[in-house]
Amino acid sequence: MTKKVLAILLVLCVVFAASSAIAHPRDQRHHQDCECGSEGYNDRFAPDIPKEIRSKMTEVAKLKIDLDDALHDNPIDKKKAIGIHDKMLKLEQEIDRWMFEKKLGKIEAFRKHHEENRNRRNTPAKPEAPKPESQGK
C-alpha cells in the first residue's frame, strides 16, 4: 500500500515539475529587457513590421541554427562561430533599433494625445451667446 502511495506522489511531483518548466521558459532575456509585456520580440508577428525587419528576424533565426551547428563541430571552428555571432549581433541591434524607434513613436503619440486631452479639459467653455428675445409678443 505504501509503495503505491509513494509511486503516485512521485508521478505527481514529476508532472508538477514538468508543468513548471513549461510555464517558465529558460530564455527570458527579451522579456526582461522590455518595460511592458507587449513590446520586444513578442511583436515579431505584428502586421506593421516592414519586410526588411522581418527578413532580418528570419536571418537571425537561421544564424542561430548555424551557430548551434558550428558550436557542435569537433573541433570548434572559432573563426566561423565568431563570424556568425557577429552577424547575429549586428542584425539583432538593427532590429532592436527599429523596435526602440517604434516605441519612441508610441510614447510621443501618447504624450501628444495626453496633452491634447489636458488642453481640452483646461480650456474654459465658451459662454453661450444670449438668445435674441422673440418680438412676437
Side-chain angles (χ1 to χ4, degrees), residues 9-89:
L9 287 175
L10 180 64
V11 169
L12 287 174
C13 287
V14 169
V15 169
F16 287 133
S19 64
S20 175
I22 291 170
H24 301 289
R26 291 182 194 175
D27 185 18
Q28 295 181 353
R29 176 179 55 146
H30 297 300
H31 298 289
Q32 292 170 353
D33 291 343
C34 65
E35 295 175 12
C36 66
S38 67
E39 298 294 326
Y41 286 113
N42 293 334
D43 284 344
R44 70 176 157 256
F45 300 114
D48 64 338
I49 296 178
K51 288 182 181 180
E52 175 187 337
I53 299 298
R54 196 177 300 269
S55 67
K56 288 178 182 182
M57 291 175 168
T58 304
E59 184 65 24
V60 168
K62 290 176 183 176
L63 288 171
K64 285 182 181 181
I65 294 169
D66 293 344
L67 181 60
D68 188 51
D69 288 342
L71 293 175
H72 283 89
D73 286 346
N74 195 6
I76 295 176
D77 184 354
K78 290 181 182 180
K79 195 179 264 190
K80 178 181 175 184
I82 290 171
I84 294 170
H85 186 255
D86 287 345
K87 286 179 190 177
M88 282 176 50
L89 289 176

Side-chain angles (χ1 to χ4, degrees), residues 103-116:
K103 185 175 183 173
L104 286 175
K106 287 180 181 180
I107 292 169
E108 288 174 340
F110 172 78
R111 287 183 178 168
K112 180 180 177 185
H113 180 73
H114 184 68
E115 186 66 28
E116 288 171 356

